[in-house]
Amino acid sequence: MSAAPVASRLWALSQFVLKVHSRCDLACDHCYMYEHADQSWRRRPKAMSLGTLRTAAARIAEHATRHGLRSVRVVIHGGEPLLLGPVVLREMLACLRAVIDPVTTLDLRMQTNGVLLSEAFCDVLAEHHVMVGVSLDGDRAANDLHRRYANGASSYDKVRKALALLRRPEYRRIYAGILCTIDVRADPIAVYEALLAEEPPRLDLLLPHATWDAPPLRPDGDPTPYATWLRRIHDRWTADGRPVPIRMFDSVLSTAVGGPSGGEQLGLDPVDLAVVETDGEWEQGDSLKITFEGGAATGMTVFTHSVDDVAALPELVRRQGGIAQLSAECQACPVVRQCGGGLFAHRFRTGRDFDNPSVFCADLKEFILAMNGSVTLPAVSDADAAESALPDDLIDQIGSGFGDEATLRYLADTQLLIAIDLLSKVSERSGGRHAYAAEGWKVLEWLDEAAPGAAGTVLAHPYVRAWAVRCLLGGETGRDDVGYLNSLAAAAALRAGQGVDLRVPVFAGRLHLPTVGTVHLPSPTTGVAEFSATGSGFTVRAGACVVAVDDLATVGAAWQPARLLETDGLAVLIEDGDPYRDCHQWAPAERISAAEDLRWREHVTRAWRLIRDDAAEYVPGLRLGLRTVAPLVADPGGLMRASTSRDAFGSVASVLAEPAELAVILVHEFQHGKLGALLDLCELLDPSRTERFVIPWRADPRPVEGVLQGTYAHIAVADMWRRRADQSAKARVHYRDYRAWSEAGLDVLRRSGALTAPGARLVDAMARAVAGWAD
């Protein structure tokens, strides 16, 4: 099995663009939709009907379910989507949420020219958690080269007004960034400074659309004007300390160290996108409209074809083929892994189709080589290199306190990658008395193909990594750790409804099948048992003892199904069976009674409702990342106990608390998990700094990582109490205390001298979040 997410396959698409309106209120002369070869917009309805949208949403939900996708991204696009008006837009967004949210996490985005953006629109977009990108080409002179009304009037002032609206505190969280199309006639520094003045969370610099049949503008015969233009901004951006993520630059830096590109313009990331037009037609990426009439067409509609049908198209399969799908000239290029042949549409030439380098080949090669050979690149620290390989806004999103769905999806996916890598190392130890564990690895490889969603769900269970780490460190005496690999395979087979025969480890009379349940044998057997899955049930034979389970949902003396709680979009396990849940600071409670299970369900359900009311921004992350709540043994003195584990992302352990307190616990502890996941990806702190620091919330001086963890969690808690401050004096006191602790922690971190560049960026984002609270 490769170290890639088991839950994802090359033929699964996770990004969808919905063309909800096919007309635009601007007449930009560089627009791929209206000004290039494909003119199919003329025959399409102006707006997508609600029925068409609902059918498209159902297709997306169907696909997500089939492939076990943990999230999908849907981009509301046009034309100009704001031409729908706020009432219709709200109906469409509500429909998408209603159809897709129940089966997977929906990451909603919108791209707009911004001229119609108003408070009414922003309220609708904020209500449905839609991240908004705005198109602006720089300063007034640069923007007015192309982005004008049909009568020639400028759109500049209205777009800036829209951006000012998105910067307001109540809308800042939906401000995704600015998209700028390059024109080499514009002053690059003036463009950069104008864009930076709008305080975007991210910038996208896009090469203008062109093909070999319709090549780009090259003033005065300059063979590489786009490389020169980009280098001027890059040099200024570097000198400024990279104040804002710029996707193209981050892509070059990331791919230079073997990371993903994060977009289509550069790199070899598989393309997993499909477009739905206003009439329900499936299309490929809409940039292909610049190539020829019907360049993006598939001949399929949402009414007649599934997403799987679209994903199986040879044109899409080709674009997931890495270097092998590139032209011979590209394959021989020294920067091919960074360039990736450029944007697919930019390779088109009549007679040779897409078997060409990008029409911007010379520019891309020169710019990439210049970045690779710059004086700053070899001097980049390990922490900086790791940061550059991350999605450009990941640290800022986490620093905001909550992070959007895309951020949590990335953290969850990388945690799954880490778990799979650890499992591959464990499988290498399946020799000697553990030789039978090789069977489990083979079964997981098979299920990776046959039922990727089932295997991915099991391997993403928080305590799988905790087991693997313990196993690689030597394991516990008397516990058959390596053989537990077969228990994972058995659980995945049951979830997939597949028949399988495996030998599985039993410890102290228990056989645990992660995410499925626990077998309790009548005798305290320790050893190896025979396990046979029948599709709908299973049989376990341990010596003379036989346990048969025909219905996985039925509780019995010998079978305890996993205690799954599903409520208002949250799905978590009340985990009282996994043997590796003892990785938490406090002792886990033993198997809880039916009455205790009911109390836990009631308290978690009420706590979740309070989180939705008091901390709505934290809901997407918790819904995507929180997988287990593990009951702890209560403290004899009644003190609160709660914890997370660095090796169990997605888990929270706690004693049973009242719902209001449990809500705070879930948010607080999950913050530690998110920060731990980020620490797995990049170095936030100088490891040579071992001194301890005095902080107001602890009597004992703490190491700098303890200060960072405490401060990050306290910011979330302060935010929750802030939202409750008008409800009681107690809430106001808690808010003041936690805010003061947060500010003190930020001060200690900034003065510590222990922050790396990524760490300083994270702390700055945390400080901005606190400063944005209005008392």
Side-chain angles (χ1 to χ4, degrees):
M1 185 187 304
S2 62
V6 177
S8 64
R9 309 305 310 162
L10 288 179
W11 58 82
L13 305 184
S14 65
Q15 300 185 68
F16 302 88
V17 175
L18 302 186
K19 298 284 189 173
V20 296
H21 207 288
S22 66
R23 304 298 191 267
C24 189
D25 44 358
L26 294 182
C28 308
D29 59 13
H30 58 6
C31 180
Y32 63 82
M33 188 161 177
Y34 306 109
E35 302 295 334
H36 285 270
D38 188 294
Q39 293 292 300
S40 58
W41 64 274
R42 297 180 183 276
R43 62 175 173 80
R44 302 192 195 278
K46 289 184 178 180
M48 181 180 288
S49 71
L50 195 59
T52 299
L53 180 109
R54 185 176 293 109
T55 302
R59 290 294 191 184
I60 295 169
E62 170 190 61
H63 187 70
T65 301
R66 163 68 182 86
H67 292 276
L69 299 181
R70 303 232 298 274
S71 66
V72 295
R73 173 173 292 182
V74 173
V75 182
I76 306 301
H77 213 289
E80 173 49 51
L82 296 184
L83 288 173
L84 291 172
V87 174
V88 175
L89 181 61
R90 174 181 274 113
E91 290 179 349
M92 288 192 164
L93 297 176
C95 177
L96 290 169
R97 288 285 180 204
V99 175
I100 300 175
D101 265 341
V103 301
T104 189
T105 298
L106 174 58
D107 175 13
L108 268 176
R109 306 267 165 157
M110 186 181 77
Q111 188 66 35
T112 173
N113 62 35
V115 298
L116 293 178
L117 196 67
S118 63
E119 289 185 359
F121 274 117
C122 285
D123 288 341
V124 170
L125 295 165
E127 175 188 348
H128 291 282
H129 307 287
V130 182
M131 298 297 294
V132 182
V134 177
S135 299
L136 179 72
D137 287 348
D139 60 337
R140 183 184 296 276
N143 196 71
D144 287 355
L145 287 173
H146 302 284
R147 297 192 184 277
R148 300 184 301 271
Y149 288 92
N151 64 4
S154 171
S155 65
Y156 187 68
D157 291 331
K158 289 186 177 179
V159 179
R160 291 203 63 211
K161 183 179 179 181
L163 292 169
L165 191 59
L166 289 173
R167 290 196 302 272
R168 283 168 39 174
E170 62 267 39
Y171 302 131
R172 179 81 193 189
R173 63 185 173 88
I174 64 170
Y175 185 9
I178 296 176
L179 182 152
C180 167
T181 301
I182 296 168
D183 189 315
V184 291
R185 295 171 296 177
D187 180 346
I189 301 305
V191 167
Y192 168 77
E193 291 177 342
L195 295 175
L196 205 63
E198 304 298 337
E199 301 177 22
R202 186 186 71 198
L203 287 177
D204 272 359
L205 299 177
L206 301 184
L207 293 167
H209 284 311
T211 68
W212 290 100
D213 292 351
L217 176 70
R218 298 189 184 279
D220 304 321
D222 184 348
T224 56
Y226 297 91
T228 303
W229 197 93
L230 287 166
R231 285 185 65 182
R232 287 193 62 195
I233 289 186
H234 174 264
D235 291 348
R236 171 65 181 275
W237 177 70
T238 302
D240 288 348
R242 303 179 186 173
V244 61
I246 299 179
R247 189 193 297 273
M248 179 179 285
F249 301 164
D250 289 341
S251 292
V252 175
L253 292 170
S254 175
T255 52
V257 294
S261 69
E264 286 190 79
Q265 277 205 109
L266 297 172
L268 294 165
D269 293 5
V271 175
D272 68 342
L273 177 143
V275 178
V276 181
E277 285 286 356
T278 55
D279 56 1
E281 288 191 36
W282 285 114
E283 289 202 335
Q284 302 176 66
D286 42 11
S287 60
L288 287 170
K289 292 179 182 295
I290 70 172
T291 57
F292 55 90
E293 182 68 34
T298 66
M300 302 178 177
T301 77
V302 297
F303 306 106
T304 58
H305 291 81
S306 69
V307 180
D308 280 5
D309 294 330
V310 178
L313 286 169
E315 296 86 351
L316 266 71
V317 173
R318 173 185 178 182
R319 297 177 68 186
Q320 300 185 27
I323 290 177
Q325 56 94 15
L326 300 178
S327 68
E329 183 177 345
C330 286
Q331 292 184 41
C333 180
V335 298
V336 62
R337 293 190 179 277
Q338 293 178 268
C339 171
L343 187 70
F344 190 73
H346 293 174
R347 306 175 202 170
F348 181 77
R349 185 199 301 262
T350 300
R352 291 191 53 174
D353 292 336
F354 299 96
D355 191 25
N356 312 285
S358 166
V359 73
F360 292 99
C361 174
D363 293 279
L364 292 172
K365 185 174 182 178
E366 178 174 315
F367 177 66
I368 291 170
L369 288 173
M371 282 192 67
N372 291 350
S374 69
V375 295
T376 58
L377 192 59
V380 170
S381 69
D382 289 342
D384 290 336
E387 180 194 6
S388 71
L390 301 178
D392 44 26
D393 62 346
L394 183 80
I395 290 176
D396 295 325
Q397 281 287 337
I398 295 174
S400 72
F402 34 89
D404 61 12
E405 293 175 359
T407 298
L408 267 296
R409 180 178 67 247
Y410 184 86
L411 291 182
D413 285 347
T414 54
Q415 287 294 301
L416 179 57
L417 283 168
I418 291 169
I420 292 173
D421 183 59
L422 292 172
L423 258 65
S424 69
K425 292 179 171 62
V426 170
S427 72
E428 295 169 1
R429 300 190 174 195
S430 57
R433 69 186 181 92
H434 300 301
Y436 73 94
E439 303 167 10
W441 188 247
K442 291 179 181 178
V443 169
L444 286 170
E445 286 185 311
W446 165 57
L447 289 172
D448 183 23
E449 297 288 339
T457 298
V458 172
L459 299 189
H461 183 60
Y463 301 115
V464 169
R465 173 174 169 177
W467 154 72
V469 168
R470 181 177 298 178
C471 186
L472 293 171
L473 291 177
E476 266 188 33
T477 302
R479 189 178 284 183
D480 200 356
D481 280 347
V482 175
Y484 192 65
L485 191 65
N486 287 22
S487 299
L488 304 181
L494 286 173
R495 294 190 69 90
Q498 298 284 350
V500 70
D501 294 320
L502 285 165
R503 287 171 288 175
V504 292
V506 175
F507 181 72
R510 296 181 185 179
L511 162 60
H512 184 65
L513 305 170
T515 76
V516 180
T518 305
V519 178
H520 296 264
L521 298 174
S523 62
T525 304
T526 293
V528 179
E530 300 292 331
F531 175 91
S532 295
T534 61
S536 59
F538 64 89
T539 301
V540 177
R541 292 179 175 84
C545 178
V546 179
V547 173
V549 175
D550 297 324
D551 182 358
L552 296 178
T554 301
V555 180
W559 173 240
Q560 172 66 57
R563 300 181 185 273
L564 177 63
L565 168 63
E566 295 182 287
T567 177
D568 293 333
L570 177 70
V572 295
L573 294 176
I574 308 298
E575 183 58 85
D576 65 343
D578 196 300
Y580 298 98
R581 71 192 190 283
D582 60 359
C583 62
H584 292 286
Q585 178 182 0
W586 310 104
E590 286 301 317
R591 179 178 175 180
I592 61 177
S593 67
E596 290 171 319
D597 177 40
L598 181 59
R599 288 190 66 205
W600 270 100
R601 290 173 182 275
E602 290 174 346
H603 284 225
V604 172
T605 298
R606 291 169 60 191
W608 179 243
R609 290 171 183 164
L610 289 170
I611 293 171
R612 292 173 69 98
D613 292 341
D614 297 337
E617 290 87 352
Y618 294 84
V619 165
L622 285 163
R623 185 166 50 204
L624 182 66
L626 182 62
R627 296 179 179 274
T628 66
V629 176
L632 294 176
V633 173
D635 179 75
L639 296 177
M640 176 51 60
R641 288 178 172 177
S643 74
T644 52
S645 169
R646 180 70 177 274
D647 292 326
F649 174 79
S651 68
V652 170
S654 176
V655 299
L656 185 62
E658 291 302 312
E661 190 169 13
L662 186 58
V664 175
I665 288 170
L666 293 176
V667 171
H668 175 277
E669 296 299 338
F670 190 66
Q671 294 297 94
H672 289 308
K674 285 192 294 186
L675 191 56
L678 180 61
L679 285 163
D680 281 338
L681 300 177
C682 67
E683 204 166 73
L684 302 174
L685 305 166
D686 182 350
S688 68
R689 302 297 294 270
T690 59
E691 63 266 47
R692 292 176 174 259
F693 301 87
V694 176
I695 49 177
W697 64 87
R698 290 283 295 255
D700 55 325
R702 302 291 292 158
V704 67
E705 184 173 338
V707 178
L708 180 60
Q709 284 278 7
T711 304
Y712 185 65
H714 286 336
I715 288 174
V717 176
D719 196 12
M720 287 194 73
W721 287 117
R722 176 179 70 89
R723 297 159 194 259
R724 299 176 179 178
D726 61 345
Q727 299 175 16
S728 69
K730 176 184 176 182
R732 289 190 289 275
V733 170
H734 283 325
Y735 168 52
R736 286 196 298 269
D737 287 346
Y738 277 97
R739 175 165 183 162
W741 291 348
S742 300
E743 291 172 337
L746 289 168
D747 184 57
V748 169
L749 289 167
R750 284 173 158 168
R751 290 188 291 102
S752 69
L755 298 174
T756 63
R761 180 173 172 179
L762 176 74
V763 169
D764 285 346
M766 292 160 60
R768 287 196 299 272
V770 174
W773 293 340
D775 291 333

